[in-house]
Amino acid sequence: MRLLLFVGLMAGLSGQAADFVHWPAAKLKGYSPGLKAKQPTGKAQMASEQLANLGNYTFMVARRDESGEPEVHAGWNDIFIAQDGEATLIYGGKVEGGKETQPGETRGGKIVGGKTQKLAAGDMAIIPFGTPHQTTVEKGKHFTYMVIKVEKK
């Protein structure tokens, strides 16, 4: 219900009509095992799937079995909705040693002076554009979450 409310809100804020989109809870829960199977061996254990691209916002589901690298998006806000497992979100501060991987996107290095927030199933976090962030996962654990990317206006 929270997701449907959010979709309606975003459509209203963007000033454009959106197609109705619905992902039943059972289907969302079913992504975690499928994404685990898609993770490449020998690399960071992460896989994602884009669910919809609706112009100024994009919906994805992701699973991490290892920590990600720091990242900063100049043109996108990220909204995380935790589905399964747990992680720690490091946010704020500044990124040292990161590289611009494409215009407006920085990845790598380390976050200095950031804060931390534990995330578990049902939690939601909004990461404003330009905010360094990194999702860390303890060894032996996993984290599955929805990512809603909203274009900066």
Side-chain angles (χ1 to χ4, degrees):
M1 184 63 188
R2 184 177 9 181
L3 183 59
L4 291 176
L5 178 62
F6 185 79
V7 171
L9 175 65
M10 293 311 300
L13 291 177
S14 69
Q16 58 189 3
D19 292 329
F20 176 79
V21 180
H22 175 243
W23 295 287
K27 183 170 183 163
L28 291 174
K29 275 196 161 298
Y31 276 105
S32 187
L35 290 171
K36 171 76 174 162
K38 289 182 181 180
Q39 292 175 341
T41 55
K43 296 185 178 183
Q45 296 298 296
M46 191 272 190
S48 65
E49 183 174 321
Q50 183 172 302
L51 301 176
N53 182 337
L54 302 174
N56 65 330
Y57 49 103
T58 302
F59 293 82
M60 299 167 39
V61 63
R63 177 182 166 130
R64 289 190 174 279
D65 286 69
E66 292 181 0
S67 297
E69 62 187 351
E71 52 188 81
V72 182
H73 316 296
W76 294 92
N77 301 290
D78 278 350
I79 300 167
F80 289 3
I81 302 172
Q83 298 291 309
D84 186 39
E86 58 188 55
T88 299
L89 180 65
I90 303 170
Y91 66 96
K94 66 179 185 171
V95 173
E96 290 184 349
K99 304 276 188 226
E100 189 171 59
T101 57
Q102 58 186 351
E105 295 287 322
T106 300
R107 295 189 184 269
K110 65 180 181 175
I111 294 178
V112 177
K115 297 177 182 177
T116 61
Q117 177 62 56
K118 295 279 189 187
L119 298 175
D123 290 349
M124 184 170 162
I126 299 173
I127 305 157
F129 69 88
T131 302
H133 58 284
Q134 178 180 14
T135 306
T136 63
V137 178
E138 288 182 34
K139 189 169 183 75
K141 296 194 176 185
H142 75 277
F143 183 57
T144 304
Y145 56 110
M146 294 277 303
V147 181
I148 305 166
K149 297 182 120 6
V150 182
E151 186 177 8
K152 171 183 124 179
K153 290 288 181 182

